[in-house]
Amino acid sequence: MELSTKSNFKRVLWSNQLYPDNYQDHTLLHQLLSGQTYLLIQPSFESYSTLVICSLPLSAQLSSIFIFIAVFAHLHLTLIHPQHLIWLTMAIGASGYVVWERALPGREKDRLPALRSASLLIFLLLLLSPVLKTLTLSTASDSIWALTAVLLALNILLGDYRHRPNPNSHLDVSFPSALSLNAAIFASVVLGSRLSSNADVFGLVLFALEWFALFPLMRRDMMRKHPESHLRPVVLNVSLALIALLILYPISSSTALIYLTLVPLGSTFVLPAIYCGLQHYKRDLRGPWDCAVPRIS
C-alpha cells in the first residue's frame, strides 16, 4: 500500500504518522503560492512620538559635541577670555551640583567628599596645563583635526543612549560609555594643545571634564528618579539646542544652520519619520512552513 493511501497526511510533528519526518505531499506548493500572508505594519502617531522621545538622548549627545567644539573655536579665535570660561564652568558646576543634591535627597553627606575631589582635580589640572599645552607641539594641525574627529566619532558611537537607565544600579556606567568618556576627554586634551596659553588649556579641559563626565551622570540620575517623565528630556534638549545655536552663530551662521538641520530637526524629527515611513515596505511572510507555536493547556 502506498503512503498516500495509508492515512491523511498532517503537517505536524507532534502526531505519530506513517510518514517520514521530511515528507511533504503535493499540496505544499499550492500552499506556498496561495498561503502567503503579508503583514504590513502601519505606523501611527503613537509610534512616531515614541521614536522621537527615544531619539532625544542622541540629540542631546550631538548637541553636547557641537557645544564643546564651539567653545574650543571661541578660545582658538580669542572670542572669549579663558578666565571667563573658567569661572563660568565653575559656576555651572556648582549650580548643577546644588540642583542635583536638592533633586535627590540623601546626597548631603557626599558634599564634603565631592568638594575635596573637585578641588584636587582642579589643582592637578592646573599643574598639568603647561604639559598638556606642549603635548602635540611637533604634530601638524591637520593630524590633530583628524584625530579629534575620530575621537569625537567614537564618543558618539559608544555613547549611552538608553532612554531609561537601570534603576537598580547606582553608577550604571557600561564599558562602551566609559570608552566614550575617555575619547571625549582625550579629544579635549588634543584640542587644548592647539591653544595659545595655559589658561586656555586649563579652561577647555576643565569644561570638557564637567561637560562629558559630570553632566551626563547628573542627567542619568534625574532620568532614573523620573523614568516616566517626558518633559525633562524635552526641556533639556531644547535648552541644549538654544545654547548651541547661541554659541555657534557668532562663529559661523552657516554652521549654526547646519547644526539646526542635522541635530534638532534631523535626528529628532526627520529620522523617526523616515523610519516610520519605511515600515510600509516591511513585510512579514507567513505560511504553513512557519515554526510551530506551542500551546500550553
Side-chain angles (χ1 to χ4, degrees):
M1 183 180 296
E2 296 182 357
L3 290 177
S4 59
T5 60
K6 289 181 180 179
S7 62
N8 293 328
F9 172 72
K10 297 180 180 180
R11 194 171 286 105
V12 293
L13 295 178
W14 48 265
S15 177
N16 293 326
Q17 302 185 74
L18 299 177
Y19 302 94
D21 292 340
N22 60 349
Y23 174 79
Q24 293 292 341
D25 61 359
H26 65 280
T27 62
L28 175 65
L29 293 179
H30 296 287
Q31 293 176 353
L32 283 173
L33 294 175
S34 61
Q36 295 176 350
T37 302
Y38 294 99
L39 178 62
L40 295 178
I41 301 178
Q42 300 294 337
S44 61
F45 177 77
E46 289 77 10
S47 61
Y48 175 73
S49 60
T50 302
L51 287 175
V52 170
I53 294 298
C54 292
S55 67
L56 292 180
L58 174 61
S59 178
Q61 183 78 4
L62 295 176
S63 297
S64 300
I65 294 293
F66 273 91
I67 291 174
F68 170 72
I69 295 175
V71 169
F72 166 76
H74 276 263
L75 289 173
H76 189 65
L77 299 175
T78 64
L79 297 178
I80 184 176
H81 199 277
Q83 292 182 358
H84 295 166
L85 177 62
I86 293 171
W87 287 112
L88 180 61
T89 302
M90 291 183 177
I92 293 176
S95 303
Y97 183 82
V98 171
V99 173
W100 178 64
E101 187 180 80
R102 291 183 177 273
L104 300 173
R107 299 286 184 177
E108 293 81 3
K109 60 181 180 180
D110 299 331
R111 184 182 304 169
L112 186 58
L115 182 60
R116 291 175 181 173
S117 300
S119 302
L120 180 60
L121 179 63
I122 292 174
F123 178 72
L124 291 177
L125 185 57
L126 189 61
L127 291 179
L128 292 175
S129 294
V131 179
L132 298 179
K133 182 180 178 299
T134 59
L135 186 63
T136 60
L137 191 61
S138 60
T139 306
S141 296
D142 293 340
S143 301
I144 296 299
W145 309 142
L147 179 60
T148 302
V150 172
L151 292 173
L152 293 180
L154 287 176
N155 174 260
I156 296 173
L157 293 175
L158 300 177
D160 187 3
Y161 301 112
R162 288 174 293 179
H163 177 57
R164 296 178 180 178
N166 184 9
N168 299 322
S169 177
H170 178 63
L171 290 177
D172 195 21
V173 178
S174 60
F175 180 68
S177 61
L179 292 180
S180 175
L181 171 61
N182 290 329
I185 300 302
F186 189 26
S188 68
V189 172
V190 171
L191 287 179
S193 63
R194 298 288 100 178
L195 298 176
S196 58
S197 66
N198 296 334
D200 290 335
V201 178
F202 175 74
L204 181 65
V205 178
L206 180 64
F207 175 78
L209 287 172
E210 180 178 303
W211 196 243
F212 292 114
L214 301 181
F215 176 66
L217 290 178
M218 294 181 181
R219 181 183 64 189
R220 190 178 299 118
D221 285 343
M222 295 294 292
M223 295 300 106
R224 185 184 292 112
K225 183 181 179 182
H226 306 281
E228 302 298 332
S229 175
H230 297 325
L231 179 61
R232 288 174 174 82
V234 171
V235 172
L236 173 65
N237 279 267
V238 171
S239 302
L240 290 176
L242 292 177
I243 293 173
L245 289 175
L246 290 176
I247 300 179
L248 287 171
Y249 188 79
I251 302 173
S252 173
S253 58
S254 59
T255 304
L257 181 60
I258 292 174
Y259 162 77
L260 180 63
T261 305
L262 293 180
V263 180
L265 299 179
S267 64
T268 307
F269 298 104
V270 177
L271 290 182
I274 293 175
Y275 180 82
C276 288
L278 292 177
Q279 298 304 310
H280 288 287
Y281 304 98
K282 184 176 180 179
R283 294 181 174 181
D284 188 11
L285 185 62
R286 299 179 183 273
W289 55 90
D290 289 340
C291 298
V293 179
R295 292 184 299 177
I296 301 176
S297 58

